[in-house]
């Protein structure tokens, strides 16, 4: 897979991928109304632009050998002192098991090391099977968080971390 830096002009790709991935990734965990709410709130162009321009999030896209966009990752250096946070890491279901998730993680880990970070962390829904993937990458649960996202919805997450 080819990883390419995502520019502002390519945010529609992130939005389209989210609309394909989220119903499958979270369909058994979250209600359709919460899924729709979260996609509308966090994955519109203005929100994504603010993450890049206002918060310093860095996005990469993955393309397969045919040039098809198949996933994305976003991360933030120093989201906490000396820690890089993976905010988003999503791949199309048909690419799961191909090593793309690991490739995204290795990219973020490399960037964290280049920036003298001590760890990489992320949030994962407590009921998301992705926890097993992160554990294979040596992430461990460091705490639990319940985050109010409005409209009566919360994100019920584990925070997982790995030293780099």
């Amino acid at each position: 897979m080819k990883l390419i830096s995502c520019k502002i002009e390519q945010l529609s790709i992130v939005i389209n991928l989210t609309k394909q991935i989220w119903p499958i990734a979270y369909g058994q965990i979250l209600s359709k109304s919460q899924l729709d709410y979260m996609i509308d709130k966090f994955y519109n162009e203005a929100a994504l632009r603010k993450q890049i321009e206002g918060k310093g999030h860095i996005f990469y896209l993955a393309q397969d050998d045919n040039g098809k966009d198949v996933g994305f990752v976003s991360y933030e250096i120093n989201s906490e002192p000396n820690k890089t946070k993976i905010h988003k890491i999503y791949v199309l279901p048909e690419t799961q098991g191909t090593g793309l998730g690991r490739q995204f993680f290795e990219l973020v880990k490399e960037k964290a090391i280049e920036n003298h970070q001590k760890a990489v962390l992320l949030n994962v829904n407590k009921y998301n099977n992705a926890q097993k993937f992160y554990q294979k990458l040596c992430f461990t649960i460091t705490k639990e968080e319940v985050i109010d996202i409005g409209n009566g919805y919360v994100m019920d997450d584990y925070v997982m971390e790995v030293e780099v």
Side-chain angles (χ1 to χ4, degrees):
M1 299 285 178
K2 180 178 170 186
L3 303 186
I4 58 170
S5 178
C6 179
K7 308 296 181 217
I8 294 283
E9 305 79 49
Q10 296 169 300
L11 289 177
S12 62
I13 297 169
V14 171
I15 294 165
N16 288 334
L17 285 167
T18 300
K19 289 178 179 177
Q20 294 174 66
I21 296 167
W22 270 48
I24 296 162
Y26 296 110
Q28 302 297 315
I29 301 171
L30 305 175
S31 68
K32 181 173 180 343
S33 59
Q34 183 171 351
L35 272 174
D36 292 343
Y37 173 79
M38 291 177 72
I39 291 171
D40 289 343
K41 181 176 176 95
F42 300 120
Y43 287 89
N44 64 69
E45 188 167 336
L48 293 170
R49 181 182 290 267
K50 183 177 180 184
Q51 291 167 28
I52 293 170
E53 296 176 341
K55 297 181 179 180
H57 295 194
I58 299 162
F59 282 73
Y60 276 80
L61 296 169
Q63 293 179 334
D64 67 13
D65 294 338
N66 299 317
K68 178 184 176 190
D69 298 300
V70 295
F72 64 94
V73 66
S74 80
Y75 64 92
E76 176 186 4
I77 302 293
N78 285 318
S79 75
E80 294 181 16
N82 300 309
K83 293 183 181 181
T84 294
K85 183 168 188 173
I86 296 175
H87 287 284
K88 303 165 187 5
I89 184 167
Y90 293 106
V91 301
L92 289 173
E94 60 266 27
T95 63
Q96 290 180 351
T98 64
L100 178 56
R102 179 177 288 277
Q103 192 177 351
F104 274 143
F105 167 69
E106 292 297 334
L107 169 78
V108 174
K109 180 180 170 184
E110 178 183 308
K111 300 296 185 183
I113 291 168
E114 285 173 10
N115 286 278
H116 312 289
Q117 304 287 280
K118 293 181 179 173
V120 173
L121 63 111
L122 53 79
N123 283 47
V124 62
N125 183 289
K126 289 179 183 174
Y127 306 101
N128 190 332
N129 286 331
Q131 283 179 57
K132 294 175 188 136
F133 167 71
Y134 300 127
Q135 289 168 342
K136 286 180 187 175
L137 296 174
C138 298
F139 278 83
T140 58
I141 296 170
T142 58
K143 64 182 176 179
E144 298 180 24
E145 281 186 335
V146 177
I147 303 161
D148 185 342
I149 57 172
N151 212 37
Y153 299 121
V154 297
M155 293 191 309
D156 191 9
D157 292 349
Y158 290 124
V159 176
M160 298 184 80
E161 190 170 309
V162 64
E163 290 184 12
V164 294

